[in-house]
Amino acid sequence: MRINRELNLKANPFQFDYLKTEPKVDTFHSHEGMEFLFVYDGYGTAIVNGHLYDIKPGILLYFQPFQLHRIQFAKEEAPRYRRSVLTFEPAVMDTYLKSLPSLRSFLHSVWKEQLEAPYIDLTPIADHISGMLALFHQRLASLPSEHRVEEYAGFMIGFIQCIRPYWLKAYTVDLGTRQPRIPHHAELIMQWIEEHFQEEFRLEKLASDIHLSENHISSLFRRATGSTISQYLTARRIKEACHLLRSTDLPLQEISLRIGFSSTSYLCQLFKKQKQLSPFKFRELHAN
């Protein structure tokens, strides 16, 4: 299970995967940059920040740096799933927007703010977006590598200009007119884990707090998310370990305790298995 995807955005701050068609088989993960994902075909579910969202053709999903998420498709839908993915280092993109204050403000909102939802419905302009991405793909293929960063930045400026009106239209409705949203039981489980992942995990405690049986919540969560509760909990803990390794000088023993592990060796074992490097090497690589 991959928890965090190392994209090396320091060396290559913009990356583009055009029209990926292979079925996506994955679990909860995060990565270092911003990701825009445009769906051409396929119906499924996006799981972000403990919430489930239906996705369909014409949807643009966006994930903030190190945001835990998963995209899930039913078995029969997976072969139809087609998407293009724009991944970039937002701090680099920010420098290109210094003379464009309104676009820069929009980028900062999507990059740093608590968002109402991780997607925009671009169905009305889906053909236009598809055409933009296809032309960009063709353009990149003809450019030498030393000009690609500038080309990518120019494309992103146009892309952000295109999607911004739809984002503003979708998320500027008066809050008082919104209907309350009833959370799925799987969302309640993820919210419980967010509050308790730093503690020793006990399934019976979770089941009692959610008011469901242990067997029922386990099967319910697996059906809704495609992952076990244990896998999701581990993903959340490793994500927190990455944050603490990057942002603090805390010793590994203290980090282990803070994320709910009593054994430092067990943390090292899980971390190395899922990141392909030790916590010490991870800290060294992110020291700057």
Side-chain angles (χ1 to χ4, degrees), residues 221-263:
F221 190 83
R222 184 66 178 260
R223 287 197 306 271
T225 69
S227 295
T228 67
I229 293 174
S230 177
Q231 287 173 330
Y232 181 80
L233 174 61
T234 298
R236 182 62 186 92
R237 285 172 165 172
I238 296 298
K239 177 178 180 285
E240 185 69 11
C242 290
H243 167 69
L244 293 173
L245 287 165
R246 288 194 313 271
S247 61
T248 75
D249 295 323
L250 289 171
L252 199 57
Q253 183 177 8
E254 176 65 22
I255 290 176
S256 299
L257 294 173
R258 287 197 180 198
I259 63 173
F261 290 132
S262 58
S263 168

Side-chain angles (χ1 to χ4, degrees), residues 4-51:
N4 187 286
R5 294 174 176 172
E6 293 301 322
L7 299 173
N8 196 18
L9 291 177
K10 292 181 176 63
N12 184 10
F14 298 105
Q15 299 180 23
F16 179 42
D17 293 314
Y18 177 65
L19 204 57
K20 299 177 73 174
T21 57
E22 75 280 5
K24 185 180 180 67
V25 180
D26 210 341
T27 55
F28 290 97
H29 64 276
S30 62
H31 35 70
E32 57 188 298
M34 280 288 301
E35 178 182 304
F36 286 166
L37 187 156
F38 180 72
V39 179
Y40 298 90
D41 293 298
Y43 292 81
T45 303
I47 307 170
V48 189
N49 285 349
H51 297 290

Side-chain angles (χ1 to χ4, degrees), residues 89-122:
E89 171 51 64
V92 174
M93 190 64 218
D94 186 54
T95 64
Y96 285 95
L97 292 174
K98 285 184 176 178
S99 61
L100 302 169
S102 62
L103 287 185
R104 191 183 189 196
S105 176
F106 173 74
L107 173 67
H108 279 237
S109 294
V110 178
W111 172 15
K112 297 181 177 182
E113 293 180 4
Q114 184 70 36
L115 301 177
E116 183 174 343
Y119 70 90
I120 315 171
D121 187 349
L122 297 179

Side-chain angles (χ1 to χ4, degrees), residues 28 45-53 61-64 67-71 117-118 187 190 232:
F28 290 97
T45 303
I47 307 170
V48 189
N49 285 349
H51 297 290
L52 283 72
Y53 303 92
L61 296 158
Y62 41 88
F63 306 115
Q64 294 170 320
Q67 185 174 53
L68 204 61
H69 62 278
R70 181 174 195 251
I71 296 174
E187 297 176 335
M190 288 185 276
Y232 181 80

